[in-house]
Amino acid sequence: MFSEFQHLIDLSDYPVAWWKKVVDLGERIKNDPSAYAHKCEGKVMATLFYEPSTRTQMSFQTAMIRLGGQIIGFDNPANSSVSKGETIKDTTKIVSSYADVLVIRHPVAGAAKAASLTADCPVINAGDGGHLHPTQTLTDLLTLKIEKKKLSGLTIGLCGDLLNGRTVHSLCKALSCLPDNKFVFISTSALGMPAYIKDIIKANGSSFTEVNDLEKAIGDLDVLYMTRIQEERFSSREEYLKQKNTYILDRRKMLNARKDMIVMHPLPRVDEISVEVDEDKRAMYFTQAKYGVYVRMALILTILEEKQISETLKGKIYGGVRCNNPKCITNHEEYLPKSFRSSGDETLLECEYCDERILI
Ligand code: CP
């Protein structure tokens, strides 16, 4: 299957130089936004948000408006024909005939990939379940570039729900491609970083440690990336309550942090960062969300300017093999062609939509 459009489903589909170029453009836009005010005149962006969002949806919309373009879309699928049972395939086919670029958020892993198979315009993944969130990563990279003046040689602590947090999955995949970055995963054992992300980090030549004590770890960090415990990804409220409030960053813990450490968070915050930390000059999360507009402007411009013929599914169909992950889009939309990559181990395949490993 081939597509003539440049989709952004996973940053790993591109060389490091490509996403560095987007981040650099984001910085240039931040420094002179008026120079880009008319770049997308006559263009339409559709935002299809099957899952709630404040920052991603509105920063994309702001980005397109600030580029001189227009926006359409829905932020509640109940108000669209999705509520009548319309598939991603059909919704995408129709909306991509109205728009020049389509931004999709969905609660199920692989949904943006599925949309890209039939879209007649570029598709941008704005978060697919607990899987990936590449445009949050572009936002995070721009924040690091501006606030830490570098993207390599950093010790980054990631704290909270590392199992379900799509932002930390995308960020670790990207930062592990750059030299001398070290990761400290701070979580309970139940919410640790998935094995496949740890394998990617190792394969990229970066190192990580896994700890459960934020207070002990904080003093070694250049960056502390806090995350919310993602209640909506738990099987029950009881399971969520067992994890809630495990990690709370407060003024007392910040006393142990370096003077130049920065605190990042993709937001929304629940209670994992006390509001008293907001006054600390190292708290960067509100600035980070603001930078999201500039980098999304850069991404829209890049995606609309570049065209390339690429294979949308690079894996193979293994007769009868299905993905085991109940949160994979192939188990929600039956018509999708199953596609698996070889993992290097002949008994293991990787689902091309959600990265789940399947034993055969
Ligand atoms: N960071 C982020 O994805 O926030 P929203 O869920 O508000 O879009």
Side-chain angles (χ1 to χ4, degrees), residues 49 51-59 105 126-127 133 135-136 139-140 166-167 225 228 232 265-268 288-289 296:
F49 276 61
E51 194 182 56
S53 166
T54 297
R55 275 146 295 274
T56 311
Q57 186 191 26
M58 290 197 214
S59 63
R105 169 172 288 192
H133 195 345
T135 70
Q136 180 64 48
T139 301
D140 299 341
R166 56 194 173 198
T167 61
Y225 197 99
R228 169 178 71 93
E232 68 276 25
H265 190 310
L267 304 177
Q288 181 186 351
R296 289 181 172 108

Side-chain angles (χ1 to χ4, degrees), residues 316-328:
K316 284 202 300 190
I317 295 172
Y318 290 77
V321 177
R322 299 184 63 99
C323 181
N324 292 331
N325 178 4
K327 295 178 183 171
C328 175

